[in-house]
Amino acid sequence: MSTHPAAPARGRVRGWKATIAVAMSNYIEAGSIIALATSLTFWQEFFGFSSWMVGLVAAISANAFGAAIGAMIGGPLGDRYGRKFIYTYDLVLYMLGTLLVVFATHAAMLVIGVVLTGIAVGAGVPVAWTYIAEQAPHEKRARHVGTAQLAWSLGPAIVFAIATALVPLGPLGSRIVFAHLFVVAFITWWVRRGLAESDIWTAQRRRHDEAVAAGGPVQRRGVRELLSNRRNVTALLFLVGVYSLWNLVAGQMGIFMPRVYATAGVESPASQNLLQVLLWTVTVIVTYVGFMLLGDRMDRRVLYGIGAALGIAAWLVLVFAHVTMPLLILFAVLWGASAGIGAQAFYALWTAEMFATRYRATAQGVLFFVARILVGVLSYFFPVLLETRGVPFVGVLMIAFLVVSLLVGVIGAPDTRGKSLERIERERYGEPASR
């Protein structure tokens, strides 16, 4: 007798509408990170936080530990009970977290709200990337997966713009930014109620149940099974090299970039935010023109290499040139273009392609967990390093991470363009992979 919930109805929300609804996890995640980034100074003054406390709040947020915990919960549950199962609950938790931040009157409310939003986005984002890739036509998979990256880029662009306009309001402006995320989350949750379950997951689950009924051998799913296969371990190490190292840089930029600008001499919060609006607007444009339009057409190894090289160039400008406003604008443009065709977009694509259906979301969760734990550890020390050692020291550290990420991605890029997920799975695991 099956112990899993009954299969959900096929759903009325499918195709591009479903892709967009699921991709909004990325808007919410990135928006949460930027909402906290733009408000940390206000919260520091409001609650009297030290630099160490600022690092701790950043470390437990959607940018790091909070998301890491959520990923390890959401990924395995998404494989066991279905992709849609996660979408029934994750945004409810997220909305509760944002309300606590909006109405925070003491530090405990803020911290609990930040943790809850982090867990919620950590549970939702890995399953979102999995769902989009599984439902996308194989010849347009990069285009669909790129929608998630597009949403992830729109979040910072819009939130930085709103935060810039609300700077004169201080902490009240920050509360309004989080309130806007609550509204977006509610609308997204409402639309997702009509989502269809992943067709690939449904077919895999049917084969699993048939094998159970027939009394035949059944391959289990979960973290232990994921790590017991050498192909999976190799793929995990490759993707840690591609994404986790890059995310060490992006994670610090997402939460602390206004402080980097301040250390470099840009004191005005409005000017700091406008530089970030420029950066993320460029990311939106390049995600569409570069990744979504070219990811299914040109050699992905070359496209990835171009994006990674642009990121390194951006940090070389920031660290080794005399910092002026024109150079900061150049930095924003270079990094924005890099992020559009960089590690995160390819990570979302390759992770979906390189693992069997039965533990595809689990693999996403494990990788997201590792990436966010690493970011969390560095986030705890980053404000102090920036304060005591300056931009050159942390910049060289960032460049080192980016160089390794470039080399790993270019050398190990898989040949998966144009292939269906079923074909890739057969090539990597053989016929019994998804039974």
Side-chain angles (χ1 to χ4, degrees):
M1 184 176 181
S2 174
T3 58
H4 71 283
R10 290 189 61 80
R12 64 185 182 276
V13 179
R14 303 181 69 87
W16 274 107
K17 186 177 181 180
T19 294
I20 294 169
V22 173
M24 288 305 293
S25 290
N26 291 264
Y27 177 95
I28 291 166
E29 183 218 4
S32 299
I33 295 170
I34 303 310
L36 186 60
T38 57
S39 63
L40 268 178
T41 299
F42 295 129
W43 296 126
Q44 185 175 15
E45 295 173 355
F46 189 78
F47 292 116
F49 291 157
S50 66
S51 291
W52 285 106
M53 187 62 185
V54 169
L56 178 61
V57 172
I60 62 176
S61 70
N63 199 44
F65 293 144
I69 294 168
M72 286 302 291
I73 296 171
L77 288 179
D79 281 332
R80 181 172 294 275
Y81 298 119
R83 316 319 188 197
K84 186 178 177 181
F85 174 82
I86 300 300
Y87 298 135
T88 306
Y89 303 107
D90 68 324
L91 289 185
V92 175
L93 184 64
Y94 180 86
M95 287 185 282
L96 175 61
T98 54
L99 285 178
L100 284 172
V101 175
V102 169
F103 295 106
T105 55
H106 49 81
M109 287 181 69
L110 175 70
V111 170
I112 294 171
V114 167
V115 170
L116 291 181
T117 56
I119 291 173
V121 299
V125 169
V127 180
W129 289 333
T130 299
Y131 181 93
I132 292 171
E134 289 181 342
Q135 292 295 87
H138 64 268
E139 71 279 3
K140 295 181 179 178
R141 192 159 49 245
R143 190 180 184 96
H144 280 255
V145 171
T147 305
Q149 178 69 9
L150 195 69
W152 188 81
S153 308
L154 279 169
I158 293 174
V159 172
F160 268 119
I162 296 173
T164 301
L166 297 178
V167 162
L169 299 181
L172 175 61
S174 298
R175 296 177 193 274
I176 293 172
V177 172
F178 276 96
H180 130 270
L181 291 171
F182 172 86
V183 173
V184 172
F186 178 80
I187 295 171
T188 302
W189 174 80
W190 186 264
V191 173
R192 284 181 179 176
R193 294 165 69 245
L195 275 177
E197 181 56 271
S198 162
D199 295 330
I200 291 177
W201 181 87
T202 301
Q204 184 274 332
R205 188 71 206 199
R206 186 182 304 114
R207 290 192 294 271
H208 169 87
D209 290 347
E210 290 170 352
V212 171
V218 178
Q219 292 178 319
R220 298 184 180 275
R221 56 179 61 81
V223 175
R224 180 181 299 179
E225 287 69 34
L226 173 72
L227 299 177
S228 66
N229 188 306
R230 181 185 297 178
R231 294 183 185 87
N232 293 337
V233 174
T234 301
L236 287 169
L237 291 174
F238 164 70
L239 290 162
V240 165
V242 167
Y243 180 62
S244 296
L245 294 178
W246 174 87
N247 196 58
L248 278 171
V249 181
Q252 307 315 311
M253 291 181 64
I255 205 78
F256 293 123
M257 201 61 207
R259 289 172 177 253
V260 174
Y261 290 143
T263 305
V266 181
E267 298 290 346
S268 165
S271 297
Q272 295 166 7
N273 288 346
L274 285 173
L275 281 168
Q276 292 297 82
V277 171
L278 170 63
L279 186 156
W280 290 108
T281 301
V282 172
T283 302
V284 170
I285 295 169
V286 177
T287 296
Y288 179 75
V289 175
F291 190 80
M292 294 178 68
L293 296 187
L294 299 179
D296 294 306
R297 299 179 181 180
M298 71 176 288
D299 188 322
R300 290 175 178 172
R301 191 187 308 270
V302 173
L303 190 60
Y304 173 85
I306 293 171
L310 288 173
I312 294 170
W315 276 91
L316 287 172
V317 167
L318 188 65
V319 172
F320 294 109
H322 176 64
V323 177
T324 61
M325 182 56 74
L327 280 179
L328 286 175
I329 292 172
L330 177 60
F331 167 83
V333 171
L334 287 173
W335 182 265
S338 170
I341 52 174
Q344 180 161 284
F346 278 99
Y347 158 79
L349 184 64
W350 287 337
T351 305
E353 294 175 339
M354 296 180 75
F355 296 96
T357 302
R358 69 180 182 275
Y359 36 56
R360 182 172 289 128
T362 300
Q364 291 269 20
V366 168
L367 286 162
F368 207 64
F369 174 84
V370 171
R372 293 312 168 101
I373 287 293
L374 292 175
V375 168
V377 171
L378 186 55
S379 293
Y380 188 68
F381 297 101
F382 193 86
V384 177
L385 287 175
L386 189 61
E387 188 176 292
T388 58
R389 305 297 294 274
V391 172
F393 177 83
V394 298
V396 170
L397 191 62
M398 300 296 104
I399 291 169
F401 292 146
L402 293 173
V403 168
V404 177
S405 176
L406 180 151
L407 294 174
V408 172
V410 169
I411 293 170
D415 180 20
T416 50
R417 181 166 57 95
K419 299 178 182 179
S420 68
L421 292 180
E422 295 87 348
R423 176 183 171 186
I424 296 169
E425 190 169 328
R426 287 194 301 270
E427 291 177 353
R428 288 182 56 79
Y429 297 91
E431 290 293 342
S434 287
R435 197 170 59 192

